[in-house]
Amino acid sequence: MEIAIMVVGVMRLTLFLPENHSLKGKRQVLRAIKARVRNKFNVSIAESDGHDMWQRAELGICQVGNDRAFVDQALREVVNFIDSLAMAPLGEEWLEITNY
């Protein structure tokens, strides 16, 4: 009997919005980024922290698969894609990959 492995990758990504001066403007930018990521990649993405800050946001991004290298590469591609959108400069990123 073969045991299947589930690999879960979780990334926290900080974005800076230096030109933004309201929560409404921040939410518009985040809504656009999240929609584009969801349309292009099969990941879960949500604002995970910094809800009340105008010029900073933290996104949580999750990928599930059965191959550690695939999950790692998929999350890195998402970060590169967000960076290529040039809607918000990237800050700190934190990645954790766990096998279940």
Side-chain angles (χ1 to χ4, degrees), residues 30-69:
L30 291 181
R31 195 171 21 256
I33 290 171
K34 293 186 303 183
R36 290 183 183 184
V37 168
R38 283 187 190 115
N39 286 338
K40 186 163 177 74
F41 301 95
N42 187 23
V43 297
S44 294
I45 183 169
E47 184 178 6
S48 58
D49 197 11
H51 299 282
D52 295 331
M53 296 180 190
W54 295 355
Q55 297 180 329
R56 182 181 173 278
E58 184 177 283
L59 293 176
I61 307 162
C62 182
Q63 172 73 54
V64 178
N66 61 0
D67 179 57
R68 190 175 185 90

Side-chain angles (χ1 to χ4, degrees), residues 15-21 54-56 87-89:
L15 302 176
F16 295 104
L17 301 120
E19 303 299 318
N20 190 47
H21 299 289
W54 295 355
Q55 297 180 329
R56 182 181 173 278
M87 297 176 83

